[in-house]
Amino acid sequence: MNVIETKPAIPFKPYHEEAGIVIYNADCRQVLPFLPKFDLLLTDPPYGNNYSTGYRQGIYRPSTRITGDLLTEPLLNDVAELTEPLLNDVAAIYWFAAPDRLDIVLPIVKRWELVNVLCWDKGNCTAGDLECSYGKQWEACVFAVTKKHPLIGTRDRDILRFSRGNTSGYVHPTQKPVSLFRYLCSRHEKGLILDPFMGSGTTLVAAKLEGRKAVGIEISEKYCEIAANRLRQGVLF
């Protein structure tokens, strides 16, 4: 007699749900064990550099700091371990990272098959010391797979030039442009997308615009509400 293994029900109610897009307001480590299989992991985890900006004032503004951004390595290891069994046999992983944190991120992502370290050229300089360092114009995106499979479209270069554009409407300190995430989604066959560090919901907005289903998890209720509003309002940035 064959026994079909089933997972228990998720002990969290969705914070927001619409047309195949689901948001959970929780620590992702508490939700991941209850989730189904996914085809694409697209996420922008904490970088571990206690993000702040020196713009507009002569000192760093505490209001721009992201709570818990320093506590990354154990967190990222935990999340990767919990995510690994959730990925289908042919799945893709896009994991953003600060260039100076690749020594931490690469060993974590190498549990899968590493394909590229992509360079996202932001088109402008953001964050950091405005007087004693070079402007930070790029961020890394580690691309890995559970099993190699063809990308949709042409063989593009490993430098992704997607400008952050006018950031006045951005609602998260490290928010990425929707156009970048739509592009990454479009390189793969339609399937279920996971973002365990959802932030303001850019992955989910991109998924919705690409006609895909997705699950986002975010520990901050503030950003869950922002993400839900972006989805309701059809925000394109």
Side-chain angles (χ1 to χ4, degrees):
M1 177 174 149
N2 293 328
V3 177
I4 299 174
E5 184 178 345
T6 60
K7 291 187 177 183
I10 299 177
F12 297 91
K13 291 184 178 179
Y15 184 89
H16 177 78
E17 189 170 7
E18 62 168 81
I21 307 288
V22 183
I23 294 174
Y24 291 103
N25 176 207
D27 185 323
C28 63
R29 291 168 292 186
Q30 297 175 311
V31 178
L32 288 171
F34 302 95
L35 295 182
K37 292 280 190 176
F38 291 85
D39 304 287
L40 176 61
L41 172 63
L42 174 54
T43 193
D44 183 23
Y47 282 6
N49 53 11
N50 204 16
Y51 177 92
S52 61
T53 177
Y55 282 102
R56 299 180 189 167
Q57 292 186 13
I59 58 173
Y60 289 143
R61 295 174 292 159
S63 63
T64 65
R65 296 192 184 278
I66 302 173
T67 303
D69 194 42
L70 286 174
L71 308 175
T72 58
E73 191 167 2
L75 170 63
L76 298 185
N77 270 307
D78 288 349
V79 172
E81 184 175 339
L82 290 167
T83 302
E84 190 170 7
L86 298 180
L87 294 177
N88 279 320
D89 292 339
V90 181
I93 299 96
Y94 290 101
W95 189 299
F96 281 82
D100 57 358
R101 294 296 186 271
L102 285 172
D103 60 326
I104 295 173
V105 172
L106 283 174
I108 294 172
V109 178
K110 280 182 178 178
R111 69 187 62 228
W112 300 294
E113 186 173 353
L114 181 64
V115 182
N116 293 101
V117 176
L118 304 173
C119 166
W120 169 43
D121 179 358
K122 298 181 281 190
N124 61 3
C125 299
T126 58
D129 186 340
L130 303 182
E131 297 179 348
C132 302
S133 70
Y134 291 92
K136 299 177 179 180
Q137 187 166 319
W138 72 282
E139 293 178 23
C141 178
V142 182
F143 171 44
V145 293
T146 54
K147 180 181 179 181
K148 279 195 174 181
H149 57 277
L151 294 170
I152 294 175
T154 59
R155 187 174 188 253
D156 292 346
R157 303 297 184 259
D158 58 4
I159 298 177
L160 310 178
R161 292 187 170 88
F162 289 84
S163 174
R164 294 187 82 225
N166 183 358
T167 60
S168 61
Y170 280 22
V171 289
H172 190 281
T174 62
Q175 186 170 326
K176 305 295 185 288
V178 171
S179 58
L180 171 61
F181 278 31
R182 289 190 70 177
Y183 167 78
L184 296 175
C185 289
S186 73
R187 300 310 309 270
H188 303 274
E189 298 290 344
K190 288 189 176 181
L192 188 56
I193 300 171
L194 171 65
D195 187 350
F197 299 100
M198 182 192 72
S200 60
T202 298
T203 296
L204 304 192
V205 173
K208 182 176 180 179
L209 293 171
E210 290 295 312
R212 307 190 183 210
K213 297 179 180 180
V215 174
I217 312 169
E218 172 56 43
I219 198 168
S220 165
E221 184 174 1
K222 169 188 172 183
Y223 286 119
C224 284
E225 181 60 23
I226 288 172
N229 286 334
R230 292 179 74 194
L231 289 167
R232 293 188 194 105
Q233 296 165 7
V235 173
L236 298 180
F237 55 84

